[in-house]
Amino acid sequence: MRKQYLFIFLALIVAHTSQAQGKTTRIGYIDMEYILENVSDYKEAKSQLELKAQKWKQEIEAKKIEINTLKESLKAEKALLTKELIDERETEIKFLEDEMLGYQEKQFGANGNLMRQKQALAKPIQDQVFTAVQDIAEAKNYDFVFDKSSDLTMLFSNKRFDISDQVLRVLNRTDKREQLTKKQLKDQEVKENLENAIDENPAMADRQKALDDKKAAREKLIADRKLEQEAKKKEYEDRRNAIAAEREAKKSGTVSETAKTSSTTAKPAATGTTTGTTGTDSTAKPAAATGTETTTDPPVLTKAEERQKLYEERKKELEERRKKILEEREAAKKAKEAETQKPNTTNN
């Protein structure tokens, strides 16, 4: 602890000396744990290591269960066993306990397999992080870069001095460099420079956020208008299809009713013709004998057929009236001629 405070004290002295000489001291820090958790290779290897650790824990638990079973068995049978058998079983139990503790220390101890594999897993990435930190420090003129997750005690750290995201971008750029073309690399560098500038300048970050919000709002407005237009278009299409379907239904319904009516009217006509040729007397006798009347429902007529029927009835009525008028005129004419002929015969 004294070494840590001494290191901080020396850093403050150096910073004060630099300020006294008119030079601005730039300080940054990284969070190694945050960087490691965001590296895909490290996460995959860590998950595999956790599976191994889980398997080791299960083996230790199985040994504990076995030891507890032996202890319970010895406790239950102790009154029936001799001293030599009791000592033998206790020795066996102690041997198993020592073996279990040794296995636990071997896997999970300070220098156990888990700790060594964690260090071996993190070391290559830590080396890459140190290289990236040096490159960033030289490019951005940082005087000090600390590790927040190390033993160094940091009582307060401002987020704008955190360069962990910059380190992650450098690591990701190194991994993807072989897969990108020159144009893509150039675009990636421009994007990273903009992100680095935003990280270093909070005011620029606020402006960029405002621009992003405006862009998102504009895109949302365009999307809403597009959805509204599509909804109106769909409504128009549905309405047009409904009208067309209604017309088609009316048309098909009229045709089917006409065909049905013609077929129903044709049957009684054929029946009447047949009965007319064979004779009415033969059909009238069974009806008179049974005393029942056979009634048939009148056929259902359409509007066109009703209009045709009314037209025929009116035409027939007019013909009868015309005939009647002609007959009356003919009768009046004959009566007049008879009256004129009667005086002539009288004079003669």
Side-chain angles (χ1 to χ4, degrees):
M1 184 64 70
R2 288 182 179 179
K3 291 182 179 180
Q4 295 174 1
Y5 284 114
L6 180 61
F7 180 76
I8 295 173
F9 180 70
L10 292 175
L12 292 174
I13 291 176
V14 172
H16 180 70
T17 305
S18 300
Q19 290 179 358
Q21 294 176 357
K23 180 184 176 182
T24 303
T25 303
R26 299 198 66 185
I27 299 175
Y29 69 91
I30 63 170
D31 189 348
M32 184 64 74
E33 292 181 357
Y34 170 77
I35 294 172
L36 292 176
E37 291 297 329
N38 286 276
V39 176
S40 58
D41 294 339
Y42 179 80
K43 287 193 293 185
E44 292 177 1
K46 185 180 178 182
S47 62
Q48 294 178 1
L49 184 59
E50 288 176 352
L51 291 176
K52 286 184 180 180
Q54 188 67 26
K55 183 179 179 181
W56 295 338
K57 288 180 181 179
Q58 291 176 358
E59 292 176 356
I60 293 171
E61 288 296 326
K63 290 180 181 294
K64 286 182 179 180
I65 293 172
E66 182 182 0
I67 292 170
N68 290 331
T69 303
L70 291 175
K71 285 183 178 180
E72 292 294 332
S73 177
L74 177 61
K75 184 178 179 181
E77 299 175 359
K78 194 170 185 179
L80 304 175
L81 298 176
T82 62
K83 187 175 182 304
E84 290 79 6
L85 291 175
I86 293 172
D87 293 339
E88 183 179 350
R89 289 198 179 183
E90 287 178 348
T91 303
E92 182 183 0
I93 291 171
K94 189 175 184 309
F95 174 77
L96 292 175
E97 286 179 344
D98 293 340
E99 185 181 12
M100 184 265 295
L101 292 174
Y103 183 78
Q104 186 175 1
E105 182 68 20
K106 177 183 177 182
Q107 304 298 346
F108 298 100
N111 295 319
N113 288 332
L114 182 62
M115 187 61 65
R116 288 201 305 270
Q117 291 188 24
K118 277 186 177 180
Q119 292 174 355
L121 180 63
K123 190 176 185 308
I125 301 174
Q126 287 176 344
D127 293 339
Q128 295 178 13
V129 170
F130 294 150
T131 303
V133 167
Q134 289 178 358
D135 295 339
I136 293 172
E138 291 177 359
K140 303 294 179 65
N141 297 322
Y142 281 101
D143 295 307
F144 299 97
V145 178
F146 301 104
D147 184 5
K148 184 179 179 181
S149 61
S150 64
D151 294 334
L152 179 64
T153 302
M154 296 182 68
L155 301 178
F156 175 76
S157 58
N158 196 324
K159 183 64 178 175
R160 67 191 184 94
F161 297 116
D162 187 1
I163 62 172
S164 300
D165 291 329
Q166 297 182 34
V167 174
L168 279 173
R169 284 195 289 270
V170 172
L171 295 178
N172 293 330
R173 181 179 60 190
T174 304
D175 294 337
K176 296 179 181 178
R177 186 178 293 275
E178 297 178 356
Q179 302 176 1
L180 299 178
T181 61
K182 291 183 179 180
K183 186 177 183 303
Q184 290 174 340
L185 284 173
K186 187 176 180 180
D187 295 339
Q188 187 72 18
E189 289 178 359
V190 172
K191 183 179 178 181
E192 289 177 358
N193 292 332
L194 178 61
E195 290 175 350
N196 292 335
I198 291 173
D199 291 338
E200 295 177 0
N201 191 352
M204 187 175 180
D206 295 337
R207 288 197 299 270
Q208 185 66 30
K209 184 179 179 182
L211 291 174
D212 293 339
D213 293 340
K214 288 182 180 179
K215 184 178 179 181
R218 185 167 60 253
E219 291 177 353
K220 185 177 182 300
L221 181 61
I222 293 172
D224 292 340
R225 288 180 179 176
K226 188 175 180 181
L227 289 174
E228 186 178 357
Q229 290 177 357
E230 290 178 354
K232 288 182 179 179
K233 185 177 179 181
K234 186 176 183 300
E235 184 180 358
Y236 172 74
E237 291 290 337
D238 293 341
R239 192 183 304 167
R240 189 176 67 176
N241 292 334
I243 293 172
E246 186 177 356
R247 289 178 180 174
E248 187 66 23
K250 287 182 178 179
K251 184 178 178 181
S252 61
T254 304
V255 172
S256 61
E257 288 178 1
T258 306
K260 183 178 178 181
T261 306
S262 61
S263 63
T264 53
T265 53
K267 287 183 179 180
T271 307
T273 306
T274 306
T275 54
T277 55
T278 55
T280 310
D281 296 336
S282 61
T283 57
K285 289 180 180 179
T290 56
T292 59
E293 295 181 356
T294 58
T295 59
T296 58
D297 295 334
V300 180
L301 300 178
T302 61
K303 291 182 179 180
E305 292 177 345
E306 289 179 357
R307 287 196 297 269
Q308 184 67 22
K309 185 178 180 182
L310 290 174
Y311 175 74
E312 294 292 338
E313 290 177 355
R314 288 180 182 178
K315 185 177 179 181
K316 185 177 180 181
E317 185 179 354
L318 289 174
E319 288 290 335
E320 291 177 355
R321 189 181 299 174
R322 188 168 66 84
K323 287 181 180 180
K324 186 176 181 181
I325 292 171
L326 290 175
E327 290 176 356
E328 290 178 354
R329 287 180 180 177
E330 189 68 25
K333 185 177 179 181
K334 288 181 179 181
K336 188 175 181 180
E337 289 178 355
E339 289 179 358
T340 54
Q341 289 177 1
K342 187 175 181 180
N344 292 330
T345 54
T346 306
N347 293 327
N348 292 328

